[in-house]
Structures are given as C-alpha cells and as structure tokens.
Amino acid sequence: MTEPLDLDAVYSFAVQLGKDAGSMLLNAAQARYGSSGYHYSIEQKTSEVDIVTQTDQDVEAFIKHQIAMEFPSHRFIGEETYSRGTSRAYLIDHEPTWVIDPLDGTVNYTHLFPIFCVSVAFCFNGKPTIGVIYAPLLHQLLSVCHGRGAWLNENTRLLLANNPAPPPLPADAPKDCIFSCEWGEDRSDQPDSNLHCKIASFVNMAAETSGREGKGGMVHGIRSLGSAAMDLAYCAMGAFDLWWEGGCWEWDVAARICLLQEAGGLVTTANPPNDPSIAPIEDAKLGSRLYLAIRPAGDTVTETERQQQERVVRQVWGRVQQLDYARPGA
Amino acid sequence: MTEPLDLDAVYSFAVQLGKDAGSMLLNAAQARYGSSGYHYSIEQKTSEVDIVTQTDQDVEAFIKHQIAMEFPSHRFIGEETYSRGTSRAYLIDHEPTWVIDPLDGTVNYTHLFPIFCVSVAFCFNGKPTIGVIYAPLLHQLLSVCHGRGAWLNENTRLLLANNPAPPPLPADAPKDCIFSCEWGEDRSDQPDSNLHCKIASFVNMAAETSGREGKGGMVHGIRSLGSAAMDLAYCAMGAFDLWWEGGCWEWDVAARICLLQEAGGLVTTANPPNDPSIAPIEDAKLGSRLYLAIRPAGDTVTETERQQQERVVRQVWGRVQQLDYARPGA
C-alpha cells in the first residue's frame, strides 16, 4: 500500500536539499581559490567535451542518501549514476521519482565560471511537480511546486501573465527576441549532422529579415551559456525570450519545465512539424530530448499569453531544422 | 604645469568609484523587482540591437561628476556621451584619461540576466594603467593597477604564470579550449559580411578536427554572453581560454586588457596576417576594434606561458576570417 503524498513536506525537503547540495558545490569551488591565486583543476572524461569532477559524484551520493533516508519508497534517477549505466531507457512513470543533476554546467564549474547549479526535480504521475535549482555563485535559488507559484530566492514570484503582467512577446518575433541555444557535443562536419543543422538554424534566426530567402529572423541577441539547463532557467525567468535545443536529458530539464510552466511559459518540441503554421502545439514530452521554450508573456488587448507564445513557436519552427537526438540504446 | 600623478590615490579612487557605480546599477535593477513579480522594462534605441536605459545615463553622469571633482585636469571618455556624438576619432593620447562604460551588457541588464557590469579604466601615456570592473549581481569586483597585480574581490589574486601556476593551455588547442565569441549587430546576409565571416570562423573552431578541410578546431565549448567585455573579463580570469571579437570600443576593453595583461594573458589582433604561422605577434592596439585574447597559462617543462599563448594565437589565426570593423567617420 502506498503512503499518501504530503506535497508540502516534499517541497520543503526539496528546497533544503537544493540549498545543502549547492553549498557543497560552493565549498568545493572555494577550496580551489588558493590564498595566493585563482585557478582551477580539471579531469578529463573519455568524451572530449565532457568533464567530470569528484564533486559531481559526492553531491549526487549526498542527495541520494538524503532522499533514501526521508522517502525510502521513492525512486531515484541521478545524472552521474544514469550516465555510467548502459541503458538509455526513459524511467519516469507514475511513481514518485526524484530526478537529480548534482552539478549542471560541469565545465563552467571547473573553470569557475558562475553559470552552474544543482538541480532537484520531483515527478509524480509522470509529471515534474516540484523543482529546485540553486546556482550558488549567482546567489539564485529557484523553486517551484505545481500550484504554488515559481519563486526566485523564496521571496520574489517569477513572471506570471497577470500578476503583474510581464512584457508581451515582440510583435515581429523572433525579431527583438533574446535567443538562447548551445553548440553541443556533436561536431560532425557532415552536411546533415546536428552541428550543421544547428548552424543553419542559428544563422536563420540571426540574419537580417530580408536575408536567408525570407527566413532571416533578426533576433536581438544570441546567448550560449554552456549549460542548456541554465539557458532554460533564464527563459523561465524572462531573461531570455526563447530557447531551442536538442539532446537534453530528463535531469537537465525536469525542474525547469515545472518552473517555466508554473510561471506561464510554454514548452514544446524543437523539431518543426511538416506544416509549422497550422500543426497543433503540444506540450513537450519529458524524455523526448527536443525542446523549444517560450517565456511567460503578459496578455495584450489583441493577444493572450498563449496566443503570443504559439505565434512565436510557429515563427521559430519555420526557421529551424530537424535535429536528430534519438535515445541511444533505449 | 602638470601635477604629479599619485597612482595609488588614483587606484583607490577608481575602486571606490566602481563600487559606487555598481551599487547604483544594482539599486536600479532591484527597484524593478516588484514585490509581487519579477519583470523588466525596456526602451528601444534606433538600432534594433541596442537598448539603452536611463540608468546608463545616470551612472555615466555620476562617474563623470566624481572624476571632475577629484581630478579636474583629467580627460573623460564615456560610452554614453561618445556614442551620442558624431565623431568616431580615437581620443586616447599620453594625457591622464578616464575611459568609462557605465553599464556594460545593457541588454542583459534590462532582462535581469546577471552578466552586466560597470567598467572604469584609467589610461596614462596611452596605456590602460588601472582597471575596475564591478558586476554587482555576480558579486564580482575585478581590479588592477599596472605593477600591483590583478585581483578578484580585492583579496584573491588572478592567475599568474608562477604564483601558483594556472593550468597550461591545451596541447592540441584550440581543441579542449573554451572559446568565447559574440554574434554581434552586423546581420547582413551578404557573403562577405561580418556575420558570415564570423559564422565560418565559429564553425571552423567548433567542427571535428578531421572536418572543414583541416581547419576543424574541436573546441571544448563555445560561449556567448551578450557582452564582449564580460567575455574578455572571464578570459582574464581563466574561465574562458580564448576570446575572438571585432567591433569593440575602447570602453569595452581598456580595463580588461589591463587586467588580462597584468595576470599574464596575451591580447593581439583578431584579423589573421597573411602568414599566420610566422607573422610577429604584436600587442593589440587600443582603438583597433579587433581583438584576440588568450588567458594566462602556467609554464611547462617544454613551453613558457608566452610560447603556449603564441602557439594558440597562430592556431586561431589559421581558422578565422578577416573582420571589417573600421572606425566609421574617424
């Protein structure tokens, strides 16, 4: 028999867990600031674009232990553990499941670039229900529980369409938008590689509106932080207008999708359908590895938040190419 | 008759000025966090990719006034004032001259994305001699005075080749390097536009080493923060290995070039010479608007810091295209 779920208790526990894990990251980082110099050390994984530190493993072990002590019946999926396994199966079902990235933005962390965080998500009935993201060097703690709002540092409510209204999305979007994206690890120089599909998409988004045979998007700016997860977090906060990415795993996005949706944002698939202008816009499937997120937006006289977001989704779909991020071995 | 220059007094004044101006930025930003929501407001300039806020102008006026009170004989160049003028002449000569960007990363600031700062540089005899960069939401204050070291938060000395040694540059650089760059405001879809020259260069740097007809650089990661100046600051701190950019103005780079050089970094021109493999590597000219910076690096048994940096410069020059950022109207 399953015990009843006390969501408030789970939420409080998750927030404290995020704070404690973030402090571990910060302490380990500060231990590398010597008294006489600012430097860093790195250890290379087999992949050329993937670095792991002992801290990753230590923080995941800590989080796993804390959850096992408090909620012994809950499942646990952690980035470090999962990545070392061979299966790439999608493991989130209706059971209470914790989805953890102990250190998101590992390369940034090893270089003492502040864009890194710990990410704690709690899924229930297959949906991300609670999320905690703590970026200790940025002094930013994001927390969300479905139905209870999305919060910065526990005291500032994130963008919601009417409370108060965040800015509407630009009328000629993607023009005037801040576009967030990453180059990723696939660097194949073949014509249909993810690298080339991404580049062609980025250039469409960036070029003057009269360029690229009508596909020029003239976005206001392009940001690449080296952490798709932090890109999505800043989209939820409204710092970026839209984020388009393939290849993310559950622990990269679960907490942030909960955050974005609770604040009023929209997240759907990165890959454009055959007819971008009329295809239905469905919520992204967790586990799909393909995401397009649009920030929350205030209603206007002529368009609701959702109408603005759908307009921007279609404009982006019309400019981006299909990415190939099937789940290997799943 | 010129008064003698007390560099220690100028340095102390510059640090306090940076702190005070950064606090103004922070206070103005916090005034936009409502009690019930996290949102932002923007005001568009004529250029589609340039936003200005009242804060820019207020902070520049404050800094200008403080300098005029303390050092009435010193010259002043401020981003806001200069940009509203018509001349694009290079104005730094041998006289004591303050070069100020009151708000670097304006778009980030208006979106409450923490990558923004105030930048204070003091040039003497034509060289940046003192630099203060304060990013208040990042809690990072960088300060430097030529000959007195480069510092983070006034207590942590930045990378210096032997005190202690920062990591050497990767042996197969640009492979394994963090490459920092920006898309910029020139979005022309013409074949020889800065947009297309940048894209071709970025793709060379990113692609697998067997790709791009031998030019594949397989960099470890690509970062675009939306502030060339902050890119360069993180290069000085060692968070990024190299930064390549065109179009910067004096106030974007003066403080950071001083910081980078004092910490042991190298800065030269972005545009490759005819023979990248043997051309002399000269310090970048302030005002040239074309920069390639390499982070400080520890000496190894086989290579000095400078030898490693020159090796990386030549590898980058071999992969990037010429950019066109002449000074308009100069």
Side-chain angles (χ1 to χ4, degrees):
Chain A
M1 188 179 131
T2 311
E3 71 219 273
L5 191 65
D6 178 350
L7 213 53
D8 286 322
V10 178
Y11 188 25
S12 298
F13 170 82
V15 169
Q16 191 58 48
L17 189 60
K19 288 180 183 175
D20 292 342
S23 296
M24 285 181 71
L25 292 180
L26 191 59
N27 291 340
Q30 284 173 336
R32 294 183 312 198
Y33 290 60
S35 60
S36 59
Y38 180 87
H39 58 117
Y40 58 84
S41 62
I42 59 173
E43 174 198 340
Q44 294 230 334
K45 259 195 199 171
T46 48
S47 164
E48 285 160 341
V49 278
D50 201 1
I51 289 177
V52 74
T53 63
Q54 184 63 40
T55 309
D56 257 297
Q57 298 164 29
D58 293 347
V59 175
E60 179 158 318
F62 166 78
I63 293 173
K64 188 173 184 176
H65 178 74
Q66 295 298 107
I67 292 170
M69 299 277 284
E70 188 78 13
F71 302 109
S73 68
H74 291 187
R75 294 185 185 175
F76 179 88
I77 301 172
E79 188 271 342
E80 276 297 310
T81 314
Y82 187 98
S83 297
R84 279 201 295 272
T86 51
S87 167
R88 290 295 171 262
Y90 181 65
L91 300 174
I92 299 171
D93 59 16
H94 66 288
E95 293 288 330
T97 304
W98 294 82
V99 184
I100 303 295
D101 194 348
L103 172 50
D104 183 283
T106 309
V107 174
N108 290 340
Y109 179 76
T110 58
H111 289 74
L112 292 174
F113 178 57
I115 304 283
F116 63 85
C117 64
V118 56
S119 179
V120 172
F122 175 74
C123 296
F124 187 58
N125 286 332
K127 294 274 184 197
T129 304
I130 287 170
V132 179
I133 298 139
Y134 182 34
L137 265 188
L138 294 167
H139 303 255
Q140 291 188 318
L141 173 74
L142 298 161
S143 56
V144 61
C145 179
H146 181 63
R148 289 162 177 76
W151 297 85
L152 172 65
N153 295 337
E154 301 181 88
N155 57 21
T156 303
R157 194 159 187 159
L158 293 193
L159 295 158
L160 273 176
N162 297 304
N163 180 34
L169 287 158
D172 300 320
K175 186 165 170 286
D176 300 325
C177 286
I178 306 293
F179 171 50
S180 152
C181 57
E182 298 292 335
W183 289 70
E185 300 188 13
D186 181 350
R187 306 291 181 77
S188 164
D189 193 30
Q190 298 303 311
D192 59 350
S193 70
N194 281 319
L195 176 66
H196 282 286
C197 292
K198 280 188 165 187
I199 296 303
S201 304
F202 296 171
V203 177
N204 281 349
M205 294 290 281
E208 58 189 334
T209 50
S210 60
R212 305 288 288 181
E213 298 175 340
K215 291 198 173 182
M218 192 64 190
V219 294
H220 192 78
I222 296 184
R223 303 286 182 271
S224 300
L225 304 182
S227 162
M230 289 299 289
D231 292 338
L232 176 52
Y234 281 112
C235 189
M237 283 191 272
F240 303 153
D241 296 293
L242 58 103
W243 169 75
W244 177 77
E245 177 64 315
C248 307
W249 296 97
E250 293 77 278
W251 48 84
D252 294 319
V253 297
R256 291 154 183 89
I257 286 178
C258 189
L259 189 80
L260 181 87
Q261 290 179 332
E262 183 72 12
L266 180 154
V267 56
T268 186
T269 180
N271 275 1
N274 288 335
D275 192 337
S277 61
I278 58 165
I281 295 174
E282 295 173 357
D283 282 351
K285 289 185 183 62
L286 192 62
S288 68
R289 307 190 67 208
L290 295 163
Y291 299 101
L292 168 59
I294 314 291
R295 70 159 169 86
D299 294 341
T300 69
V301 175
T302 53
E303 279 182 311
T304 65
E305 174 178 61
R306 178 79 190 189
Q307 285 171 328
Q308 297 171 50
Q309 290 165 336
E310 293 205 353
R311 166 169 60 78
V312 179
V313 166
R314 297 190 192 286
Q315 290 293 331
V316 175
W317 276 350
R319 289 173 170 85
V320 295
Q321 298 194 358
Q322 297 270 342
L323 300 176
D324 175 19
Y325 286 105
R327 296 186 81 97
Chain B
M1 187 178 130
T2 312
E3 71 218 275
L5 191 66
D6 178 348
L7 213 54
D8 287 321
V10 178
Y11 188 26
S12 297
F13 171 81
V15 169
Q16 190 59 47
L17 190 60
K19 288 179 184 174
D20 292 344
S23 296
M24 286 180 72
L25 292 179
L26 191 60
N27 290 340
Q30 284 174 337
R32 293 186 312 201
Y33 290 61
S35 60
S36 59
Y38 181 86
H39 60 118
Y40 58 85
S41 63
I42 58 174
E43 174 200 340
Q44 295 230 335
K45 262 194 198 171
T46 48
S47 164
E48 284 162 342
V49 277
D50 201 1
I51 290 174
V52 74
T53 61
Q54 183 64 38
T55 309
D56 258 298
Q57 298 163 30
D58 292 347
V59 175
E60 180 159 318
F62 166 77
I63 293 173
K64 188 173 185 176
H65 177 74
Q66 296 296 108
I67 292 171
M69 299 277 283
E70 187 78 11
F71 302 109
S73 67
H74 291 187
R75 295 186 182 174
F76 179 88
I77 301 171
E79 189 272 340
E80 276 299 309
T81 315
Y82 187 99
S83 298
R84 280 200 295 271
T86 50
S87 165
R88 290 294 173 263
Y90 180 65
L91 300 174
I92 299 171
D93 60 15
H94 67 286
E95 293 288 329
T97 304
W98 294 83
V99 185
I100 303 295
D101 194 348
L103 172 49
D104 183 284
T106 309
V107 175
N108 290 339
Y109 179 77
T110 57
H111 288 74
L112 292 175
F113 178 56
I115 304 283
F116 63 85
C117 64
V118 56
S119 180
V120 172
F122 176 74
C123 296
F124 187 57
N125 288 330
K127 296 274 183 195
T129 305
I130 287 169
V132 178
I133 299 138
Y134 183 33
L137 264 188
L138 295 167
H139 302 255
Q140 291 188 319
L141 173 73
L142 297 161
S143 56
V144 61
C145 179
H146 181 63
R148 290 163 176 77
W151 298 84
L152 172 65
N153 294 337
E154 300 181 271
N155 56 21
T156 303
R157 193 157 187 160
L158 293 193
L159 295 157
L160 273 176
N162 297 303
N163 182 32
L169 288 158
D172 300 320
K175 185 166 171 287
D176 301 325
C177 286
I178 306 293
F179 171 50
S180 153
C181 56
E182 299 292 336
W183 288 70
E185 300 188 13
D186 180 351
R187 305 293 180 75
S188 163
D189 193 31
Q190 296 305 308
D192 59 349
S193 71
N194 282 319
L195 175 66
H196 282 286
C197 292
K198 280 188 164 187
I199 295 303
S201 304
F202 296 171
V203 178
N204 282 348
M205 294 291 280
E208 57 189 336
T209 50
S210 60
R212 303 289 288 181
E213 297 175 339
K215 290 198 174 182
M218 191 64 192
V219 295
H220 192 78
I222 297 183
R223 303 285 181 273
S224 300
L225 304 182
S227 161
M230 288 299 289
D231 293 337
L232 176 52
Y234 281 113
C235 190
M237 283 192 273
F240 302 154
D241 296 293
L242 59 102
W243 169 74
W244 178 76
E245 177 64 314
C248 307
W249 296 96
E250 293 76 278
W251 48 83
D252 295 319
V253 297
R256 291 154 183 88
I257 286 178
C258 189
L259 189 80
L260 182 87
Q261 290 178 332
E262 183 72 12
L266 180 154
V267 57
T268 186
T269 181
N271 275 0
N274 288 334
D275 191 338
S277 61
I278 57 166
I281 295 173
E282 295 172 357
D283 282 352
K285 289 185 184 62
L286 192 63
S288 68
R289 307 190 67 208
L290 295 164
Y291 299 100
L292 168 60
I294 315 290
R295 70 158 167 87
D299 295 340
T300 68
V301 176
T302 54
E303 280 182 311
T304 64
E305 174 179 61
R306 178 78 190 189
Q307 286 171 329
Q308 296 171 50
Q309 290 164 337
E310 294 206 352
R311 166 168 60 78
V312 178
V313 166
R314 296 188 192 286
Q315 291 292 331
V316 175
W317 276 350
R319 289 173 170 85
V320 295
Q321 298 193 359
Q322 296 270 341
L323 300 176
D324 175 19
Y325 286 104
R327 296 185 82 96

